[in-house]
Structures are given as structure tokens and as C-alpha cells.
Amino acid sequence: MNTPDPRNVPDPHAHPGTDPEPARTPDLEPGGGVAPGSTPPDSGSTSGLSAPEPRTRNRFPPTGILTIAAIVLIVVLFLVVIVGILM
């Protein structure tokens, strides 16, 4: 008969799960459902942010302004060339 090596058996109390224990959950029916009007317990979670969020800016970036100006210049030059060819 093979007996498990006690060094390889994980300790169930060392790292308890974050989900609620079904055997100790009030109003839990057999099969995992809850009674009408009851709210099941929530799973554990981590609260807060892991890193601060970057501050948002409410202004248009200078590179965006330069890009729009370049596009407008190209469109104007294109229109000038078209008008010059047609006349």
C-alpha cells in the first residue's frame, strides 16, 4: 500500500481560499442555491489600486496640433495643384 509522503501533502490551513466555505454559509441550500430573499456572501477580493493612475490632461497635446496643421497644409497644397491643373 502506498502512503503519501507527509512532506508533499499541502497544509489546507496554510493558504485558505478566498471563497466562502459552503458548509458554514447561512441560507445555502443543497446544490449551492440560496433561499429566496437571501444574498450569498461575496468572495474575498483585493481592494485599492496596485499603482497610482496617471493624471489625465484636459488639453490637446502639441504633437496633435502639429499633425492637424500638417494635414491642413497638405490638403491646401493639393487643392492649389488641382485648381492649377484645371485652369
Side-chain angles (χ1 to χ4, degrees):
M1 179 173 167
N2 292 336
T3 57
D5 186 3
R7 293 174 291 175
N8 293 334
V9 176
D11 182 13
H13 301 292
H15 302 287
T18 57
D19 289 333
E21 181 65 37
R24 297 187 324 209
T25 304
D27 296 331
L28 190 63
E29 296 178 342
V34 292
S38 296
T39 304
D42 212 2
S43 293
S45 64
T46 311
S47 62
L49 299 173
S50 59
E53 294 210 8
R55 186 176 176 148
T56 57
R57 296 183 289 176
N58 292 332
R59 57 187 174 92
F60 205 68
T63 54
I65 294 171
L66 291 175
T67 302
I68 291 175
I71 291 172
V72 167
L73 180 64
I74 290 170
V75 168
V76 168
L77 288 174
F78 182 75
L79 290 176
V80 167
V81 169
I82 293 295
V83 169
I85 290 174
L86 294 176
M87 295 204 146

